[in-house]
Amino acid sequence: KIKYPDSVIVFITPLNRENEDKNDCGISLEEYRKAIKSVAEKNGFPVIEGDRLGLKGKTDYLMSDGTHPTPIAHKMLGDRIA
């Protein structure tokens, strides 16, 4: 905020991915989404819900790891968020 005082800080919850099972700590992706949203809202930051950005079921928009967006998906996400 000091360098870019007019900037808007937003939180984006995790995007959809092929495997949303609980991790080795027993925490699901949905639990992470809820925690991020809770912290952001308690501190007055807007939240963009990543799981509602249109990647669900679009495995061709994910890298081979099934988690990270492809360059085309990054462009699509940028267009939707901007």
Side-chain angles (χ1 to χ4, degrees):
K1 282 299 213 175
I2 293 171
K3 191 171 182 181
Y4 302 101
D6 297 326
S7 62
V8 177
I9 298 171
V10 299
F11 280 57
I12 302 175
T13 62
L15 303 170
N16 295 100
R17 57 178 73 164
E18 288 181 11
N19 179 0
E20 295 201 9
D21 295 338
K22 291 185 176 191
N23 63 17
D24 292 341
C25 296
I27 302 170
S28 71
L29 198 57
E30 188 57 34
E31 290 172 286
Y32 278 109
R33 288 182 182 114
K34 288 178 183 176
I36 291 166
K37 188 173 180 179
S38 175
V39 168
E41 289 175 345
K42 284 180 185 174
N43 290 284
F45 293 104
V47 177
I48 295 172
E49 297 191 42
D51 59 329
R52 296 185 181 172
L53 289 173
L55 289 184
K56 187 170 187 156
K58 296 184 178 178
T59 55
D60 54 324
Y61 282 2
L62 296 176
M63 302 292 278
S64 61
D65 64 4
T67 299
H68 297 94
T70 63
I72 293 169
H74 276 286
K75 169 125 178 51
M76 188 242 350
L77 293 169
D79 291 343
R80 289 186 181 184
I81 291 169

